[in-house]
Amino acid sequence: MAVDYTVIVVYLAGMLAMGWWGMRRARSKSEFLVAGRRLGPAMYSGTMAAIVLGGASTIGGVGLGYQYGLSGAWMVFTIGLGLLALSVFFSARIARLKVYTVSEMLDLRYGGRAGVISGVVMWAYTLMLAVTSTIAYATIFDVLFDMNRTLAIVLGGSIVVAYSTLGGMWSITLTDMVQFVVKTIGVLLLLLPIAVVKAGGFSEMRAELPTSYFDPLGIGGETIFTYVLIYTFGMLIGQDIWQRVFTARSDRTAKWGGTVAGTYCLAYALAGAVIGTAAKVLYPNLASADDAFATIVKDELPMGVRGLVLAAALAAVMSTSSGALIACATVANNDIWSRLRGVVRPSDEEHDEVKGNRAFILLMGVAVICTAIALNNVVEALTVAYNLLVGGLLVPILGGLLWKRGTAQGALASVAVGGLAVVVLMATHGILANEPVYYGLLASLAAYVAVSLATRPTDAAVLAIWRDRLAGREPELVSDPVPAPQ
């Protein structure tokens, strides 16, 4: 394992070096939070693919392939579909808004009234998303070093917190590009063909496994529908995803770069399912489907290659973890803390804003590591995150983009009713039940439409500014979003 250890150590050291280099570029709030809005198509595509394909997509995607066969690709496939829909239909308009958070977009659209409550929901989502990725370090470091779970979480989490705190989005962008390359080589170019060959090829896999393993819909129609609701729609509205859209150099970059990243996700989904199916042939009696990735890597790959593939798994986890962490910190600082203190967008100099956001990344990083140590179930944490996001924020965000009659009161009612319904239904039906997101989303939609129609339309001046910003005719805000009309 000495060669494998060397590969991993070099990789982790490289991540810290990228963080240090990124610190030298992050001199303003824009540079620190959205990489100066300067990413071109190649870098934008790579970093967008890196953030959406995390530990759940890699380790979890292989696990679903082990359990269901090729139809196990649907979870990651719906993530790719969501990214494609975001890129084709919404990303250009989002990029032109020149904001930093989803809550700022809601304030701009509805007149400055939606910030704190939507910020709290988005903060809870990004926190839980970062926690799920951080928990995954335990699995990887256990395979590598037979390391205690808590120590593994602290080690992996600390590296991500360190480079994210140092350089913000610039450090995360640089590390994500490296992680994208490592994932592509490790999972698509090495593990996929080796796993298929070790399993005897597709003909042997078909002979050994039930026909349901090769049924595209074998995982079940209801499960696929739930994946679409949670992950496809979740991709449209998550702060972690929008914050990457804000980094695009132009709306054209956001549209076409995101389309390339979404297409890559579809290929990655199929690769994970095929690897899991091959693992089922090789190891038919694993105690847990989620052990399939680590087992096939540990037992079937030659030294050096094994280290690179495990580095790919680390890359997948770290890219999502760092993206969720900076999103969580951005929301906590800009949408919650600053508003509760009544501070109108900091004041003095941009460099002070960098210090404040850096402090929040460090603070949220500690919170994420502590929460990850306390929790055990990755799937439950991820489900809580996406249920809150989709049930509480999907309707007011898409409603604001698509329906001009939506009002601030309707948006607030939608967030409150949808979020509360999701929480209550998770408590009564169970976290993994389908009902929370189904009925939470319906309740949110009903509240949004009913309250919007029952209240006065949004002020014409607010809508005029909104339309100008969507068209790219207004400069970036230098103060708080548009205040509510008196």
Side-chain angles (χ1 to χ4, degrees), residues 167-214:
M169 187 59 82
W170 266 122
S171 293
I172 292 170
T173 297
L174 295 169
T175 54
D176 276 359
M177 280 306 297
V178 175
Q179 289 159 356
F180 172 73
V181 172
V182 170
K183 276 194 292 193
T184 301
I185 295 172
V187 175
L188 296 184
L189 302 184
L190 291 176
L191 182 58
L192 174 61
I194 290 173
V196 172
V197 169
K198 291 283 188 178
F202 285 103
S203 58
E204 182 66 20
M205 290 162 63
R206 283 186 175 274
E208 290 287 332
L209 297 172
T211 56
S212 62
Y213 268 70
F214 302 92

mmCIF file of all heavy atoms in Angstrom, residues 167-214:
data_model
loop_
_atom_site.group_PDB
_atom_site.id
_atom_site.type_symbol
_atom_site.label_atom_id
_atom_site.label_comp_id
_atom_site.label_asym_id
_atom_site.label_seq_id
_atom_site.Cartn_x
_atom_site.Cartn_y
_atom_site.Cartn_z
ATOM 1 N N GLY A 167 -8.661 30.602 0.426
ATOM 2 C CA GLY A 167 -8.870 31.315 -0.830
ATOM 3 C C GLY A 167 -10.292 31.394 -1.322
ATOM 4 O O GLY A 167 -10.539 31.896 -2.422
ATOM 5 N N GLY A 168 -11.262 30.909 -0.539
ATOM 6 C CA GLY A 168 -12.649 31.006 -0.956
ATOM 7 C C GLY A 168 -12.892 30.311 -2.289
ATOM 8 O O GLY A 168 -12.356 29.235 -2.562
ATOM 9 N N MET A 169 -13.703 30.934 -3.144
ATOM 10 C CA MET A 169 -14.102 30.305 -4.391
ATOM 11 C C MET A 169 -12.932 30.088 -5.339
ATOM 12 O O MET A 169 -12.940 29.135 -6.126
ATOM 13 C CB MET A 169 -15.190 31.133 -5.076
ATOM 14 C CG MET A 169 -15.785 30.463 -6.313
ATOM 15 S SD MET A 169 -16.538 28.839 -5.975
ATOM 16 C CE MET A 169 -18.147 29.348 -5.362
ATOM 17 N N TRP A 170 -11.907 30.951 -5.283
ATOM 18 C CA TRP A 170 -10.755 30.709 -6.151
ATOM 19 C C TRP A 170 -10.057 29.407 -5.770
ATOM 20 O O TRP A 170 -9.718 28.592 -6.640
ATOM 21 C CB TRP A 170 -9.762 31.867 -6.100
ATOM 22 C CG TRP A 170 -9.977 32.884 -7.180
ATOM 23 C CD1 TRP A 170 -10.221 34.218 -7.008
ATOM 24 C CD2 TRP A 170 -9.995 32.666 -8.597
ATOM 25 N NE1 TRP A 170 -10.379 34.839 -8.224
ATOM 26 C CE2 TRP A 170 -10.252 33.905 -9.221
ATOM 27 C CE3 TRP A 170 -9.836 31.537 -9.395
ATOM 28 C CZ2 TRP A 170 -10.347 34.056 -10.600
ATOM 29 C CZ3 TRP A 170 -9.924 31.673 -10.782
ATOM 30 C CH2 TRP A 170 -10.170 32.924 -11.368
ATOM 31 N N SER A 171 -9.836 29.182 -4.491
ATOM 32 C CA SER A 171 -9.209 27.927 -4.059
ATOM 33 C C SER A 171 -10.091 26.734 -4.418
ATOM 34 O O SER A 171 -9.607 25.703 -4.897
ATOM 35 C CB SER A 171 -8.972 27.938 -2.551
ATOM 36 O OG SER A 171 -7.999 28.891 -2.200
ATOM 37 N N ILE A 172 -11.391 26.870 -4.189
ATOM 38 C CA ILE A 172 -12.310 25.770 -4.469
ATOM 39 C C ILE A 172 -12.359 25.486 -5.969
ATOM 40 O O ILE A 172 -12.410 24.325 -6.402
ATOM 41 C CB ILE A 172 -13.707 26.107 -3.906
ATOM 42 C CG1 ILE A 172 -13.652 26.115 -2.372
ATOM 43 C CG2 ILE A 172 -14.749 25.119 -4.395
ATOM 44 C CD1 ILE A 172 -14.893 26.660 -1.713
ATOM 45 N N THR A 173 -12.323 26.538 -6.789
ATOM 46 C CA THR A 173 -12.331 26.349 -8.239
ATOM 47 C C THR A 173 -11.089 25.604 -8.701
ATOM 48 O O THR A 173 -11.162 24.663 -9.502
ATOM 49 C CB THR A 173 -12.414 27.720 -8.947
ATOM 50 O OG1 THR A 173 -13.651 28.340 -8.605
ATOM 51 C CG2 THR A 173 -12.325 27.559 -10.454
ATOM 52 N N LEU A 174 -9.929 26.017 -8.197
ATOM 53 C CA LEU A 174 -8.677 25.364 -8.594
ATOM 54 C C LEU A 174 -8.653 23.912 -8.149
ATOM 55 O O LEU A 174 -8.267 23.014 -8.909
ATOM 56 C CB LEU A 174 -7.496 26.130 -8.007
ATOM 57 C CG LEU A 174 -7.311 27.561 -8.532
ATOM 58 C CD1 LEU A 174 -6.280 28.307 -7.689
ATOM 59 C CD2 LEU A 174 -6.878 27.548 -9.997
ATOM 60 N N THR A 175 -9.056 23.664 -6.902
ATOM 61 C CA THR A 175 -9.066 22.283 -6.420
ATOM 62 C C THR A 175 -10.111 21.453 -7.159
ATOM 63 O O THR A 175 -9.883 20.271 -7.438
ATOM 64 C CB THR A 175 -9.330 22.225 -4.905
ATOM 65 O OG1 THR A 175 -10.537 22.930 -4.597
ATOM 66 C CG2 THR A 175 -8.182 22.846 -4.130
ATOM 67 N N ASP A 176 -11.246 22.060 -7.487
ATOM 68 C CA ASP A 176 -12.279 21.315 -8.220
ATOM 69 C C ASP A 176 -11.812 20.903 -9.610
ATOM 70 O O ASP A 176 -12.188 19.838 -10.110
ATOM 71 C CB ASP A 176 -13.558 22.157 -8.333
ATOM 72 C CG ASP A 176 -14.435 22.044 -7.101
ATOM 73 O OD1 ASP A 176 -14.050 21.299 -6.174
ATOM 74 O OD2 ASP A 176 -15.491 22.689 -7.070
ATOM 75 N N MET A 177 -11.012 21.739 -10.269
ATOM 76 C CA MET A 177 -10.493 21.345 -11.577
ATOM 77 C C MET A 177 -9.581 20.132 -11.455
ATOM 78 O O MET A 177 -9.643 19.200 -12.272
ATOM 79 C CB MET A 177 -9.741 22.509 -12.231
ATOM 80 C CG MET A 177 -10.644 23.529 -12.894
ATOM 81 S SD MET A 177 -11.790 22.800 -14.115
ATOM 82 C CE MET A 177 -10.638 22.152 -15.330
ATOM 83 N N VAL A 178 -8.727 20.137 -10.434
ATOM 84 C CA VAL A 178 -7.880 18.965 -10.193
ATOM 85 C C VAL A 178 -8.751 17.755 -9.874
ATOM 86 O O VAL A 178 -8.538 16.646 -10.386
ATOM 87 C CB VAL A 178 -6.888 19.238 -9.042
ATOM 88 C CG1 VAL A 178 -6.094 17.987 -8.698
ATOM 89 C CG2 VAL A 178 -5.957 20.377 -9.406
ATOM 90 N N GLN A 179 -9.756 17.958 -9.031
ATOM 91 C CA GLN A 179 -10.636 16.864 -8.642
ATOM 92 C C GLN A 179 -11.429 16.326 -9.827
ATOM 93 O O GLN A 179 -11.651 15.111 -9.943
ATOM 94 C CB GLN A 179 -11.572 17.352 -7.523
ATOM 95 C CG GLN A 179 -10.837 17.569 -6.203
ATOM 96 C CD GLN A 179 -11.556 18.501 -5.256
ATOM 97 O OE1 GLN A 179 -12.586 19.069 -5.588
ATOM 98 N NE2 GLN A 179 -11.005 18.685 -4.060
ATOM 99 N N PHE A 180 -11.827 17.197 -10.734
ATOM 100 C CA PHE A 180 -12.540 16.765 -11.937
ATOM 101 C C PHE A 180 -11.657 15.843 -12.789
ATOM 102 O O PHE A 180 -12.099 14.789 -13.264
ATOM 103 C CB PHE A 180 -12.973 17.988 -12.749
ATOM 104 C CG PHE A 180 -13.537 17.656 -14.095
ATOM 105 C CD1 PHE A 180 -14.787 17.099 -14.231
ATOM 106 C CD2 PHE A 180 -12.791 17.911 -15.245
ATOM 107 C CE1 PHE A 180 -15.303 16.789 -15.483
ATOM 108 C CE2 PHE A 180 -13.298 17.602 -16.503
ATOM 109 C CZ PHE A 180 -14.553 17.041 -16.621
ATOM 110 N N VAL A 181 -10.412 16.242 -12.963
ATOM 111 C CA VAL A 181 -9.479 15.426 -13.754
ATOM 112 C C VAL A 181 -9.232 14.080 -13.068
ATOM 113 O O VAL A 181 -9.255 13.024 -13.706
ATOM 114 C CB VAL A 181 -8.154 16.182 -13.973
ATOM 115 C CG1 VAL A 181 -7.114 15.273 -14.612
ATOM 116 C CG2 VAL A 181 -8.386 17.412 -14.836
ATOM 117 N N VAL A 182 -9.006 14.122 -11.748
ATOM 118 C CA VAL A 182 -8.740 12.885 -11.003
ATOM 119 C C VAL A 182 -9.942 11.958 -11.058
ATOM 120 O O VAL A 182 -9.804 10.737 -11.257
ATOM 121 C CB VAL A 182 -8.363 13.219 -9.539
ATOM 122 C CG1 VAL A 182 -8.312 11.948 -8.685
ATOM 123 C CG2 VAL A 182 -7.027 13.929 -9.486
ATOM 124 N N LYS A 183 -11.158 12.498 -10.899
ATOM 125 C CA LYS A 183 -12.365 11.670 -10.973
ATOM 126 C C LYS A 183 -12.530 11.045 -12.353
ATOM 127 O O LYS A 183 -12.897 9.878 -12.488
ATOM 128 C CB LYS A 183 -13.605 12.518 -10.651
ATOM 129 C CG LYS A 183 -13.884 12.660 -9.184
ATOM 130 C CD LYS A 183 -15.266 13.196 -8.916
ATOM 131 C CE LYS A 183 -15.416 14.628 -9.346
ATOM 132 N NZ LYS A 183 -16.653 15.232 -8.807
ATOM 133 N N THR A 184 -12.287 11.837 -13.391
ATOM 134 C CA THR A 184 -12.453 11.332 -14.745
ATOM 135 C C THR A 184 -11.493 10.177 -15.015
ATOM 136 O O THR A 184 -11.885 9.124 -15.549
ATOM 137 C CB THR A 184 -12.217 12.459 -15.769
ATOM 138 O OG1 THR A 184 -13.148 13.518 -15.517
ATOM 139 C CG2 THR A 184 -12.409 11.952 -17.184
ATOM 140 N N ILE A 185 -10.219 10.364 -14.639
ATOM 141 C CA ILE A 185 -9.229 9.306 -14.849
ATOM 142 C C ILE A 185 -9.516 8.106 -13.948
ATOM 143 O O ILE A 185 -9.553 6.956 -14.397
ATOM 144 C CB ILE A 185 -7.808 9.841 -14.588
ATOM 145 C CG1 ILE A 185 -7.456 10.920 -15.624
ATOM 146 C CG2 ILE A 185 -6.784 8.708 -14.634
ATOM 147 C CD1 ILE A 185 -6.141 11.636 -15.335
ATOM 148 N N GLY A 186 -9.757 8.378 -12.665
ATOM 149 C CA GLY A 186 -9.905 7.296 -11.699
ATOM 150 C C GLY A 186 -11.150 6.457 -11.897
ATOM 151 O O GLY A 186 -11.092 5.218 -11.865
ATOM 152 N N VAL A 187 -12.306 7.111 -12.113
ATOM 153 C CA VAL A 187 -13.569 6.376 -12.190
ATOM 154 C C VAL A 187 -13.892 5.953 -13.626
ATOM 155 O O VAL A 187 -14.177 4.771 -13.884
ATOM 156 C CB VAL A 187 -14.722 7.224 -11.604
ATOM 157 C CG1 VAL A 187 -16.059 6.515 -11.794
ATOM 158 C CG2 VAL A 187 -14.468 7.491 -10.124
ATOM 159 N N LEU A 188 -13.857 6.886 -14.558
ATOM 160 C CA LEU A 188 -14.292 6.575 -15.922
ATOM 161 C C LEU A 188 -13.238 5.812 -16.727
ATOM 162 O O LEU A 188 -13.575 4.874 -17.463
ATOM 163 C CB LEU A 188 -14.666 7.863 -16.661
ATOM 164 C CG LEU A 188 -15.849 8.657 -16.106
ATOM 165 C CD1 LEU A 188 -16.148 9.853 -16.998
ATOM 166 C CD2 LEU A 188 -17.084 7.791 -15.968
ATOM 167 N N LEU A 189 -11.980 6.204 -16.614
ATOM 168 C CA LEU A 189 -10.952 5.623 -17.476
ATOM 169 C C LEU A 189 -10.239 4.418 -16.864
ATOM 170 O O LEU A 189 -9.669 3.608 -17.594
ATOM 171 C CB LEU A 189 -9.912 6.694 -17.844
ATOM 172 C CG LEU A 189 -10.460 7.933 -18.559
ATOM 173 C CD1 LEU A 189 -9.326 8.865 -18.951
ATOM 174 C CD2 LEU A 189 -11.284 7.542 -19.782
ATOM 175 N N LEU A 190 -10.272 4.288 -15.521
ATOM 176 C CA LEU A 190 -9.585 3.156 -14.889
ATOM 177 C C LEU A 190 -10.553 2.170 -14.242
ATOM 178 O O LEU A 190 -10.607 1.000 -14.636
ATOM 179 C CB LEU A 190 -8.589 3.681 -13.849
ATOM 180 C CG LEU A 190 -7.370 4.431 -14.411
ATOM 181 C CD1 LEU A 190 -6.521 4.986 -13.272
ATOM 182 C CD2 LEU A 190 -6.534 3.522 -15.302
ATOM 183 N N LEU A 191 -11.320 2.616 -13.250
ATOM 184 C CA LEU A 191 -12.163 1.686 -12.501
ATOM 185 C C LEU A 191 -13.237 1.048 -13.377
ATOM 186 O O LEU A 191 -13.485 -0.167 -13.274
ATOM 187 C CB LEU A 191 -12.801 2.399 -11.310
ATOM 188 C CG LEU A 191 -13.677 1.524 -10.405
ATOM 189 C CD1 LEU A 191 -12.880 0.345 -9.850
ATOM 190 C CD2 LEU A 191 -14.266 2.352 -9.259
ATOM 191 N N LEU A 192 -13.883 1.809 -14.238
ATOM 192 C CA LEU A 192 -14.962 1.267 -15.066
ATOM 193 C C LEU A 192 -14.491 0.103 -15.945
ATOM 194 O O LEU A 192 -15.049 -1.002 -15.858
ATOM 195 C CB LEU A 192 -15.584 2.389 -15.908
ATOM 196 C CG LEU A 192 -16.637 1.953 -16.940
ATOM 197 C CD1 LEU A 192 -17.820 1.285 -16.247
ATOM 198 C CD2 LEU A 192 -17.107 3.160 -17.756
ATOM 199 N N PRO A 193 -13.487 0.281 -16.806
ATOM 200 C CA PRO A 193 -13.080 -0.849 -17.645
ATOM 201 C C PRO A 193 -12.489 -2.014 -16.847
ATOM 202 O O PRO A 193 -12.732 -3.182 -17.179
ATOM 203 C CB PRO A 193 -12.043 -0.240 -18.592
ATOM 204 C CG PRO A 193 -11.589 1.016 -17.946
ATOM 205 C CD PRO A 193 -12.738 1.505 -17.150
ATOM 206 N N ILE A 194 -11.733 -1.714 -15.783
ATOM 207 C CA ILE A 194 -11.144 -2.794 -14.983
ATOM 208 C C ILE A 194 -12.234 -3.623 -14.312
ATOM 209 O O ILE A 194 -12.173 -4.859 -14.277
ATOM 210 C CB ILE A 194 -10.163 -2.216 -13.946
ATOM 211 C CG1 ILE A 194 -8.906 -1.674 -14.647
ATOM 212 C CG2 ILE A 194 -9.766 -3.272 -12.918
ATOM 213 C CD1 ILE A 194 -7.953 -0.925 -13.727
ATOM 214 N N ALA A 195 -13.263 -2.955 -13.774
ATOM 215 C CA ALA A 195 -14.355 -3.671 -13.108
ATOM 216 C C ALA A 195 -15.087 -4.586 -14.087
ATOM 217 O O ALA A 195 -15.405 -5.743 -13.759
ATOM 218 C CB ALA A 195 -15.327 -2.662 -12.488
ATOM 219 N N VAL A 196 -15.358 -4.085 -15.286
ATOM 220 C CA VAL A 196 -16.077 -4.894 -16.288
ATOM 221 C C VAL A 196 -15.231 -6.100 -16.694
ATOM 222 O O VAL A 196 -15.733 -7.235 -16.797
ATOM 223 C CB VAL A 196 -16.442 -4.035 -17.512
ATOM 224 C CG1 VAL A 196 -17.009 -4.904 -18.632
ATOM 225 C CG2 VAL A 196 -17.456 -2.960 -17.130
ATOM 226 N N VAL A 197 -13.957 -5.885 -16.919
ATOM 227 C CA VAL A 197 -13.061 -6.986 -17.306
ATOM 228 C C VAL A 197 -12.965 -8.025 -16.188
ATOM 229 O O VAL A 197 -13.051 -9.242 -16.423
ATOM 230 C CB VAL A 197 -11.664 -6.444 -17.671
ATOM 231 C CG1 VAL A 197 -10.665 -7.605 -17.815
ATOM 232 C CG2 VAL A 197 -11.724 -5.647 -18.957
ATOM 233 N N LYS A 198 -12.793 -7.571 -14.944
ATOM 234 C CA LYS A 198 -12.692 -8.495 -13.816
ATOM 235 C C LYS A 198 -13.963 -9.320 -13.639
ATOM 236 O O LYS A 198 -13.923 -10.462 -13.183
ATOM 237 C CB LYS A 198 -12.409 -7.714 -12.528
ATOM 238 C CG LYS A 198 -11.019 -7.071 -12.470
ATOM 239 C CD LYS A 198 -9.945 -8.097 -12.161
ATOM 240 C CE LYS A 198 -8.600 -7.432 -11.920
ATOM 241 N NZ LYS A 198 -7.551 -8.416 -11.571
ATOM 242 N N ALA A 199 -15.113 -8.730 -14.000
ATOM 243 C CA ALA A 199 -16.394 -9.444 -13.875
ATOM 244 C C ALA A 199 -16.652 -10.382 -15.049
ATOM 245 O O ALA A 199 -17.689 -11.055 -15.084
ATOM 246 C CB ALA A 199 -17.532 -8.443 -13.738
ATOM 247 N N GLY A 200 -15.749 -10.410 -16.012
ATOM 248 C CA GLY A 200 -15.898 -11.311 -17.146
ATOM 249 C C GLY A 200 -16.548 -10.706 -18.361
ATOM 250 O O GLY A 200 -16.908 -11.431 -19.304
ATOM 251 N N GLY A 201 -16.739 -9.395 -18.364
ATOM 252 C CA GLY A 201 -17.376 -8.734 -19.501
ATOM 253 C C GLY A 201 -18.895 -8.717 -19.353
ATOM 254 O O GLY A 201 -19.464 -9.356 -18.453
ATOM 255 N N PHE A 202 -19.557 -8.005 -20.238
ATOM 256 C CA PHE A 202 -21.007 -7.847 -20.126
ATOM 257 C C PHE A 202 -21.749 -9.168 -20.322
ATOM 258 O O PHE A 202 -22.796 -9.405 -19.718
ATOM 259 C CB PHE A 202 -21.502 -6.808 -21.139
ATOM 260 C CG PHE A 202 -21.189 -5.392 -20.741
ATOM 261 C CD1 PHE A 202 -20.151 -4.694 -21.344
ATOM 262 C CD2 PHE A 202 -21.906 -4.763 -19.736
ATOM 263 C CE1 PHE A 202 -19.848 -3.394 -20.968
ATOM 264 C CE2 PHE A 202 -21.617 -3.467 -19.345
ATOM 265 C CZ PHE A 202 -20.579 -2.776 -19.956
ATOM 266 N N SER A 203 -21.231 -10.038 -21.163
ATOM 267 C CA SER A 203 -21.911 -11.317 -21.386
ATOM 268 C C SER A 203 -21.929 -12.153 -20.106
ATOM 269 O O SER A 203 -22.956 -12.769 -19.770
ATOM 270 C CB SER A 203 -21.230 -12.083 -22.519
ATOM 271 O OG SER A 203 -19.860 -12.299 -22.211
ATOM 272 N N GLU A 204 -20.805 -12.171 -19.400
ATOM 273 C CA GLU A 204 -20.747 -12.917 -18.141
ATOM 274 C C GLU A 204 -21.623 -12.254 -17.082
ATOM 275 O O GLU A 204 -22.282 -12.949 -16.291
ATOM 276 C CB GLU A 204 -19.303 -12.982 -17.651
ATOM 277 C CG GLU A 204 -19.107 -13.765 -16.365
ATOM 278 C CD GLU A 204 -19.404 -15.253 -16.519
ATOM 279 O OE1 GLU A 204 -19.398 -15.759 -17.672
ATOM 280 O OE2 GLU A 204 -19.647 -15.913 -15.485
ATOM 281 N N MET A 205 -21.654 -10.932 -17.055
ATOM 282 C CA MET A 205 -22.514 -10.232 -16.101
ATOM 283 C C MET A 205 -23.977 -10.568 -16.345
ATOM 284 O O MET A 205 -24.742 -10.796 -15.406
ATOM 285 C CB MET A 205 -22.272 -8.716 -16.199
ATOM 286 C CG MET A 205 -20.899 -8.290 -15.662
ATOM 287 S SD MET A 205 -20.353 -6.645 -16.217
ATOM 288 C CE MET A 205 -21.592 -5.596 -15.493
ATOM 289 N N ARG A 206 -24.383 -10.617 -17.595
ATOM 290 C CA ARG A 206 -25.774 -10.983 -17.935
ATOM 291 C C ARG A 206 -26.082 -12.419 -17.525
ATOM 292 O O ARG A 206 -27.186 -12.734 -17.074
ATOM 293 C CB ARG A 206 -26.023 -10.800 -19.423
ATOM 294 C CG ARG A 206 -26.228 -9.351 -19.842
ATOM 295 C CD ARG A 206 -26.611 -9.258 -21.320
ATOM 296 N NE ARG A 206 -26.924 -7.906 -21.692
ATOM 297 C CZ ARG A 206 -28.114 -7.335 -21.558
ATOM 298 N NH1 ARG A 206 -29.116 -8.028 -21.027
ATOM 299 N NH2 ARG A 206 -28.329 -6.094 -21.933
ATOM 300 N N ALA A 207 -25.111 -13.290 -17.681
ATOM 301 C CA ALA A 207 -25.327 -14.692 -17.336
ATOM 302 C C ALA A 207 -25.438 -14.899 -15.829
ATOM 303 O O ALA A 207 -26.177 -15.775 -15.361
ATOM 304 C CB ALA A 207 -24.184 -15.545 -17.902
ATOM 305 N N GLU A 208 -24.717 -14.103 -15.057
ATOM 306 C CA GLU A 208 -24.651 -14.297 -13.612
ATOM 307 C C GLU A 208 -25.788 -13.624 -12.849
ATOM 308 O O GLU A 208 -26.134 -14.049 -11.752
ATOM 309 C CB GLU A 208 -23.317 -13.758 -13.084
ATOM 310 C CG GLU A 208 -22.102 -14.570 -13.490
ATOM 311 C CD GLU A 208 -22.012 -15.880 -12.739
ATOM 312 O OE1 GLU A 208 -22.522 -15.947 -11.603
ATOM 313 O OE2 GLU A 208 -21.447 -16.847 -13.293
ATOM 314 N N LEU A 209 -26.352 -12.565 -13.415
ATOM 315 C CA LEU A 209 -27.308 -11.746 -12.662
ATOM 316 C C LEU A 209 -28.724 -11.876 -13.201
ATOM 317 O O LEU A 209 -28.922 -12.193 -14.386
ATOM 318 C CB LEU A 209 -26.866 -10.277 -12.698
ATOM 319 C CG LEU A 209 -25.512 -9.973 -12.029
ATOM 320 C CD1 LEU A 209 -25.110 -8.528 -12.302
ATOM 321 C CD2 LEU A 209 -25.583 -10.231 -10.531
ATOM 322 N N PRO A 210 -29.734 -11.587 -12.365
ATOM 323 C CA PRO A 210 -31.124 -11.602 -12.837
ATOM 324 C C PRO A 210 -31.344 -10.570 -13.946
ATOM 325 O O PRO A 210 -30.640 -9.554 -14.022
ATOM 326 C CB PRO A 210 -31.924 -11.233 -11.582
ATOM 327 C CG PRO A 210 -31.016 -11.509 -10.436
ATOM 328 C CD PRO A 210 -29.623 -11.287 -10.931
ATOM 329 N N THR A 211 -32.340 -10.805 -14.780
ATOM 330 C CA THR A 211 -32.616 -9.877 -15.892
ATOM 331 C C THR A 211 -33.011 -8.494 -15.385
ATOM 332 O O THR A 211 -32.825 -7.499 -16.088
ATOM 333 C CB THR A 211 -33.741 -10.432 -16.781
ATOM 334 O OG1 THR A 211 -34.902 -10.687 -15.968
ATOM 335 C CG2 THR A 211 -33.312 -11.735 -17.458
ATOM 336 N N SER A 212 -33.533 -8.427 -14.154
ATOM 337 C CA SER A 212 -33.930 -7.124 -13.600
ATOM 338 C C SER A 212 -32.734 -6.181 -13.487
ATOM 339 O O SER A 212 -32.901 -4.959 -13.481
ATOM 340 C CB SER A 212 -34.577 -7.301 -12.224
ATOM 341 O OG SER A 212 -33.652 -7.873 -11.301
ATOM 342 N N TYR A 213 -31.526 -6.726 -13.389
ATOM 343 C CA TYR A 213 -30.332 -5.893 -13.286
ATOM 344 C C TYR A 213 -30.034 -5.131 -14.573
ATOM 345 O O TYR A 213 -29.246 -4.188 -14.570
ATOM 346 C CB TYR A 213 -29.118 -6.747 -12.897
ATOM 347 C CG TYR A 213 -28.894 -6.798 -11.404
ATOM 348 C CD1 TYR A 213 -29.778 -7.482 -10.572
ATOM 349 C CD2 TYR A 213 -27.822 -6.147 -10.813
ATOM 350 C CE1 TYR A 213 -29.593 -7.518 -9.197
ATOM 351 C CE2 TYR A 213 -27.622 -6.169 -9.437
ATOM 352 C CZ TYR A 213 -28.518 -6.850 -8.634
ATOM 353 O OH TYR A 213 -28.338 -6.867 -7.269
ATOM 354 N N PHE A 214 -30.680 -5.526 -15.663
ATOM 355 C CA PHE A 214 -30.442 -4.860 -16.942
ATOM 356 C C PHE A 214 -31.709 -4.187 -17.469
ATOM 357 O O PHE A 214 -31.766 -3.778 -18.622
ATOM 358 C CB PHE A 214 -29.892 -5.880 -17.950
ATOM 359 C CG PHE A 214 -28.622 -6.525 -17.473
ATOM 360 C CD1 PHE A 214 -28.667 -7.714 -16.751
ATOM 361 C CD2 PHE A 214 -27.394 -5.913 -17.673
ATOM 362 C CE1 PHE A 214 -27.504 -8.291 -16.263
ATOM 363 C CE2 PHE A 214 -26.226 -6.478 -17.185
ATOM 364 C CZ PHE A 214 -26.276 -7.669 -16.478
#
